[in-house]
Structures are given as C-alpha cells and as structure tokens.
C-alpha cells in the first residue's frame, strides 16, 4: 500500500483564516446595516400618518385627528423631524439596543421579543435536530446502495424539500391530532405539543440537507481510505457511519446557518397553525394590528439571528478547513 504523504504545515495559515473570518464579519455588518435601513424606510415611508395610527390604536378608534392631538405625539416620537434626523436617531437607538416602542402594547419592542424568544428557539432547535437525523439516516441507508435504493432516497429528499410548511402543518394536524388523536392539537407546553410543529419545520429542511449530504457522501465512498477500511474487514454500516459520514457533512454544516434563519421564518407558520407561543404569533398579531415598530423589530431581530448564525458557521467552516483562507 502506498504511504500517504501529509502536507507540510503552512506558515501564515492562521492569519489567512483570520482575514477570511474578518471579511465575512464585515460582510455581515453590511447586511445588518442594509436590513436596518430597509426596516427604517418601511416604517417611515409607508402610507398613512404614524401619529394618527398610534392614537387610533391607543384609543381603539378609527378617525381623523386634529393638529392639536397630533402635535404632542409627533414631538414625543420625532415623527415631524427631517428624515435624515429620524434615520440617525433610529440607528443611535439600535446601537443602544432600542428597537422602538410597540404602538399597541406601549412597551419596548426588544422586551416583547425577548419574552417570546424561548419557545421559538426551542422549536427551531428541535426542528434542526430532527432534520439532521432524518437526512443522515436516509443518506446512510440509501446512498451508493444500487440504482433503486439511491433513487428512492433521492426521491424522498426531493419530495420533502418541496413540501410547503402551511400545507404540511395542515396535513399533520388532521392526521395525527384529529383523525388519529395521538398528539395534541395545540402546541402549547410539553414535549408532545412540540412534536407536530417541529415536524412541520424539520421535514422540508431534511430534504435540503439530505440532497447536499448525498452528493458528498457518494463521492467519499470511493476514496482510498474507505476502500482501505473495507479491506480491513470493517462492516459496511460502520464504514459509512465512522469514515464516510464524518467526511461528507461539511457542505451540509455550512447550510445550517441558512437553515436557522429559515426555521425562524417558518416558525411564524408553525406557531400560527398550532397556536404555539413565540415571536411568530407576536408577528402575526402585530401585522394584523398594524403595529409597525413591533413588526419592524421582529424582522430586524430575525435578520440578526440569520446573519450571526451564518457568521458562526463560516467561522467553524474556516477552522475545520483552513485552506479556505487561500481563496
């Protein structure tokens, strides 16, 4: 057997990785700036007078307001300031952690989001774990095992990836909560209440993760170290799990950053269908009541989660594969 020559350690690889991570961090800051600017412009330029909207929501009325009524509200919130001044004050507030005040609840937006983030975070993490479990099991059992098994595995992943969240939630609700009353209809509290909302988010995501993992998994099956492991008498399942899987997960790991952001977005549908608490429920209620600061705050918060998740995954990716710093 030909001995494998290990590459010589390269000097400066740590600096290249650090520069690569710094470039990604700079890109993340630009994305956050763009998201914050878009959120501000939507709030500032959308049709309707914000002072009138705020007063009508506070009083439960829907009528035109006099200038005398609007003046104190405009002065308090700075609605009559020039747009650049409003933009500056908005960004200064963001740097202090101030996302504004809810028109309807009259409370800081950041506090409302933090109160509801735990159920959404639990749902997103449970869905991510389930998605990875489904993707890994289907890939290990079907990839590279002949034409029919490979086609079945690829077909399952394609169908799963194409499932719309809303349609899947309705089907799971009807089958497992109504026709077969195995699980509760509502997703409030307890592990059983988490199952159907988590499956709603996990099944489509597992299709994407499986498709990315399968291509790399199939390529690794023909690597020399895999053939060497088989020649030593190692069982097929052990070779796949111990040697092939660990070398084929990297592309799917990079996809997890996008997946976390997608799960937070999908949580809006799952929490609405299964009446589960979380920022998705708050977002729907805020949109229905035209609570602009709360809607904008949640949108910006999800953007921050999405960017941070991608940044962390990029950093892990660079640490796992230092050659990325060369690109």
């Amino acid at each position: 057997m030909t001995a494998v020559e290990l590459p010589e350690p390269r000097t400066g690889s740590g600096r290249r990785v650090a520069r690569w991570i710094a470039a990604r961090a700079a890109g993340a800051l630009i994305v956050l700036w763009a998201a914050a600017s878009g959120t501000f412009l939507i709030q500032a330029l959308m049709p309707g007078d914000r002072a009138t909207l705020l007063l009508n929501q506070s009083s439960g009325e829907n009528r035109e307001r006099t200038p005398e009524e609007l003046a104190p509200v405009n002065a308090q919130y700075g609605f009559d300031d020039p747009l650049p001044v409003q933009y500056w004050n908005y960004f200064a507030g963001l740097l202090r952690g101030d996302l504004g005040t809810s028109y309807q609840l009259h409370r800081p937006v950041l506090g409302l989001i933090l109160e509801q983030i735990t159920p959404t975070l639990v749902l997103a993490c449970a869905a991510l774990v389930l998605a990875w479990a489904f993707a890994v099991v289907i890939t290990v059992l079907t990839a590279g095992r002949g034409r029919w098994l490979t086609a079945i595995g690829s077909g399952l992943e394609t169908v799963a990836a194409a499932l719309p969240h809303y349609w899947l939630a309705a089907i799971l609700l009807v089958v497992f909560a109504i026709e077969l009353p195995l699980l509760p209809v509502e997703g409030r509290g307890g592990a059983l209440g988490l199952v159907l909302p988590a499956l709603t988010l996990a099944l489509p995501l597992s299709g994407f993760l499986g498709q990315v993992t399968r291509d790399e998994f199939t390529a690794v099956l023909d690597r020399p170290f895999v053939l060497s492991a088989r020649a030593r008498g190692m069982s097929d399942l052990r070779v796949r799990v111990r040697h092939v899987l660990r070398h084929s997960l990297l592309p799917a790991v990079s996809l997890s950053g996008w997946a976390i952001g997608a799960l937070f977005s999908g949580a809006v549908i799952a929490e609405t269908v299964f009446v589960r608490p979380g920022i998705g429920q708050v977002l729907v209620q805020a949109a229905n009541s035209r609570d602009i600061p709360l809607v904008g705050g949640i949108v910006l918060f999800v953007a921050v989660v999405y960017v941070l998740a991608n940044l962390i995954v990029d950093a892990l990716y660079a640490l796992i594969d230092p050659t990325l710093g060369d690109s």
Side-chain angles (χ1 to χ4, degrees):
M1 179 179 301
T2 304
V4 178
E5 294 184 0
L6 296 175
E8 293 289 337
R10 294 172 302 169
T11 59
S13 61
R15 288 195 295 273
R16 285 193 292 272
V17 170
R19 285 198 298 270
W20 190 81
I21 293 176
R24 288 293 188 275
L29 288 176
I30 293 174
V31 172
L32 288 178
W33 169 77
S37 298
T39 304
F40 166 79
L41 290 175
I42 290 173
Q43 294 184 42
L45 302 180
M46 72 176 302
D49 181 71
R50 285 176 286 173
T52 300
L53 178 62
L54 195 155
L55 286 174
N56 284 341
Q57 287 190 344
S58 300
S59 62
E61 299 174 327
N62 186 16
R63 63 181 178 86
E64 292 295 327
R65 298 286 175 171
T66 64
E68 291 74 18
E69 290 176 303
L70 297 176
V73 178
N74 284 326
Q76 179 181 354
Y77 290 91
F79 292 155
D80 51 358
D81 289 338
L83 195 61
V85 175
Q86 294 185 44
Y87 185 69
W88 172 261
N89 291 334
Y90 176 76
F91 258 90
L94 291 183
L95 295 177
R96 297 192 304 269
D98 181 9
L99 297 181
T101 302
S102 166
Y103 288 173
Q104 186 180 30
L105 302 175
H106 307 290
R107 294 178 53 196
V109 169
L110 183 59
L112 293 170
I113 294 174
L114 293 179
E115 283 180 2
Q116 299 295 326
I117 190 60
T118 301
T120 302
L121 192 61
V122 170
L123 174 60
C125 291
L128 187 62
V129 171
L130 282 176
W132 266 108
F134 291 148
V136 167
V137 168
I138 292 176
T139 300
V140 169
L141 294 181
T142 63
R145 289 189 182 276
R147 180 180 176 185
W148 286 106
L149 275 178
T150 300
I152 290 173
S154 297
L156 288 174
E157 290 163 357
T158 302
V159 171
L163 291 175
H165 285 141
Y166 193 83
W167 180 86
L168 180 58
I171 294 297
L172 292 174
L173 188 65
V174 170
V175 174
F176 294 103
I178 298 176
E179 296 296 333
L180 301 173
L182 300 175
L183 296 167
V185 174
E186 294 188 356
R188 294 178 181 275
L192 287 180
L194 181 63
V195 173
L196 293 182
L199 282 175
T200 299
L201 301 180
L203 288 175
L205 178 59
S206 68
F208 289 107
L209 295 177
Q211 288 174 333
V212 175
T213 305
R214 175 178 297 278
D215 293 339
E216 189 69 15
F217 191 94
T218 304
V220 175
L221 279 173
D222 296 326
R223 297 274 180 86
F225 67 88
V226 175
L227 301 177
S228 175
R230 293 188 190 281
R232 293 198 302 269
M234 190 176 289
S235 69
D236 179 67
L237 182 60
R238 192 176 177 189
V239 169
R240 285 170 173 263
V241 173
R242 185 172 179 179
H243 293 287
V244 181
L245 187 61
R246 62 184 296 188
H247 289 87
S248 58
L249 291 180
L250 205 54
V253 168
S254 67
L255 196 63
S256 294
W258 162 83
I260 292 174
L263 289 173
F264 267 78
S265 302
V268 175
I269 296 174
E271 289 172 356
T272 302
V273 173
F274 295 103
V275 198
R276 180 180 170 80
I279 59 173
Q281 279 272 23
V282 176
L283 177 61
V284 172
Q285 294 170 3
N288 288 335
S289 60
R290 297 191 65 189
D291 194 340
I292 302 169
L294 188 52
V295 172
I298 293 175
V299 170
L300 186 57
F301 183 83
V302 172
V304 170
V305 171
Y306 181 86
V307 169
L308 287 180
N310 277 280
L311 189 60
I312 292 172
V313 169
D314 283 345
L316 292 175
Y317 206 109
L319 293 176
I320 294 171
D321 185 4
T323 60
L324 285 174
D326 297 335
S327 60

